[in-house]
Structure formats: C-alpha cells, structure tokens
Amino acid sequence: DTAVSQTPKYLVTQMGNDKSIKCEQNLGHDTMYWYKQDSKKFLKIMFSYNNKELIINETVPNRFSPKSPDKAHLNLHINSLELGDSAVYFCASNQQQGTYGYTFGSGTRLTVV
Amino acid sequence: GQQVMQIPQYQHVQEGEDFTTYCNSSTTLSNIQWYKQRPGGHPVFLIQLVKSGEVKKQKRLTFQFGEAKKNSSLHITATQTTDVGTYFCAGVSGTYKYIFGTGTRLKVLA
C-alpha cells in the first residue's frame, strides 16, 4: 500500500517544454506539499495545499503551477522548463500543518537538457 | 527569513563510533522534527520534539530539543552501516511552515 505516490519517477525533457508531475495520497491527510531538493540536497518548500486551498506559495517562478482537484491529489505543472529546474521534486502530506510529521513520496527526478 | 543550519555538513565515521548532528535555528521554534533520507531515497519522519529541553530516545538514537527551543541535536550511539544517509531537522515557527535544515550526510565505514 503506497501512502504517497508520485508519477513519473524520472523525467528527462528538453528546455522550453511543459511537463506535469502527479501526486496522490491515500492517508486521508488534509495537507499536501511540494518540495524541491537540489543537487546539494537542500529541501525547499514550494507550495502547500490544505483541503484543496493554497496556503503556502513560496517565491517560485510563475512557470510553476500547482493544482489540487481534491484533498488526496496535488499535481505540479511546469511551463517553459529551464536547466535550473533540474532537481528532485518531492510531494508530501501530513494530517495537520505544523503539527505532524510529513509522509514523503518517493520523488520525481527531473532532468532538463 | 527563518534559517535552519545543521553541522557538520558531512561526517564519516567508523562503524561502532558515535555520531552527532546539531541543528540551529535563527528563530524560536514551536517544535522540531527529524528526518532520515537514505541515498537515492526520500526523507522519512523519525520524531517530533515539542517541549523545551525535551529528550527522546529511539533505540540507538537520542534526540534533544534545546531549552531556548532554538537548537536541537541527534546523537547515534555505536553507528551501523544501516545508519548511512542524510539527516535533516525541520523546524516550524509561527506560520506552520516547516523549514528544513541544511542536512548532515553520514557515511559509516565498515
């Protein structure tokens, strides 16, 4: 039983393309997140949704747009991909923001060439 | 903005040696969490500390939250090769947005 699942696991694409990453959780959690982990392993929060409502929107280029059709899903669409977007993107969820530990998905390694 | 730094950035130890990573926040934290990320894997939640001065143990792992709630430590006794990975602290203050520390990469030499 996968708790937080992301697809695809790997994504290799050319600069300028548009791509999406999907995330689903079956834990019944209220809050979902997108984190970016760069080559130095720094984990930076990008977005957070609580029950389909955007609650955290960090300083992220407009090319990144999250969408939460329901509280179990949080997708990330990226327009006009750039070389600097290459990273591992993690989806995560928890029961209540600021109170409980996160459950992370296995990550999507995005490589922009 | 809030910053969470960890030291050391890297640590190589012989199997059986102890290991400690330290986490320091620029602001007072409501609580702090610790995560472990194996090479090629994803962060896995280990524990959460809430009270000032709190100490919690999980087998060979000891977690401590500072009295001023601005720092924390993770100590591993008698490391094993299975302890290899990157250890992150994550602190929250105010906005319920967890800021992850810079991480400590641990290598255990057999």
Side-chain angles (χ1 to χ4, degrees):
Chain A
D1 285 348
T2 306
V4 180
S5 59
Q6 287 179 238
T7 54
K9 195 169 172 59
Y10 300 96
L11 192 49
V12 181
T13 188
Q14 290 190 325
M15 271 196 309
N17 282 352
D18 303 339
K19 289 293 177 187
S20 291
I21 307 172
K22 294 188 174 185
C23 179
E24 176 182 2
Q25 55 97 2
N26 62 5
L27 298 166
H29 288 168
D30 294 324
T31 312
M32 296 184 73
Y33 308 81
W34 279 111
Y35 274 84
K36 179 181 179 181
Q37 186 170 49
D38 62 22
S39 57
K40 293 183 179 177
K41 293 284 200 177
F42 296 143
L43 270 164
K44 279 200 67 175
I45 189 166
M46 300 173 70
F47 302 103
S48 174
Y49 272 75
N50 182 264
N51 248 322
K52 300 193 296 177
E53 183 186 341
L54 181 66
I55 51 171
I56 294 174
N57 185 353
E58 286 298 283
T59 310
V60 175
N62 290 342
R63 300 182 293 104
F64 290 79
S65 51
K67 276 196 172 52
S68 183
D70 55 63
K71 78 170 195 176
H73 295 84
L74 180 61
N75 304 324
L76 183 65
H77 187 76
I78 316 170
N79 287 330
S80 304
L81 278 155
E82 299 176 359
L83 292 176
D85 297 331
S86 296
V88 180
Y89 292 84
F90 286 104
C91 176
S93 71
N94 70 345
Q95 181 57 31
Q96 185 176 342
Q97 51 174 148
T99 314
Y100 295 91
Y102 293 0
T103 301
F104 279 84
S106 55
T108 295
R109 183 174 292 277
L110 172 65
T111 305
V112 183
V113 297
Chain B
Q2 181 188 356
Q3 289 188 338
V4 181
M5 304 297 292
Q6 279 182 255
I7 53 169
Q9 193 175 355
Y10 300 94
Q11 183 86 59
H12 293 185
V13 299
Q14 284 292 136
E15 192 174 18
E17 289 182 343
D18 292 356
F19 158 77
T20 305
T21 173
Y22 300 91
C23 177
N24 295 292
S25 169
S26 57
T27 58
T28 302
L29 301 170
S30 304
N31 62 57
I32 195 156
Q33 297 176 350
W34 284 91
Y35 292 79
K36 176 184 178 182
Q37 184 177 19
R38 291 182 190 274
H42 57 277
V44 174
F45 175 71
L46 295 176
I47 207 159
Q48 177 169 284
L49 304 171
V50 178
K51 298 176 188 171
S52 165
E54 189 171 12
V55 177
K56 285 189 177 180
K57 291 193 176 194
Q58 284 181 352
K59 297 184 182 177
R60 295 179 295 105
L61 276 61
T62 302
F63 304 84
Q64 191 161 2
F65 201 6
E67 293 289 342
K69 300 183 81 173
K70 292 182 78 172
N71 55 66
S72 181
S73 64
L74 158 58
H75 179 82
I76 303 178
T77 305
T79 53
Q80 299 174 357
T81 53
T82 52
D83 295 326
V84 162
T86 302
Y87 291 85
F88 292 97
C89 61
V92 67
S93 64
T95 60
Y96 296 106
K97 177 178 68 180
Y98 277 100
I99 303 298
F100 277 76
T102 46
T104 296
R105 289 194 215 189
L106 172 65
K107 265 196 170 174
V108 179
L109 307 169

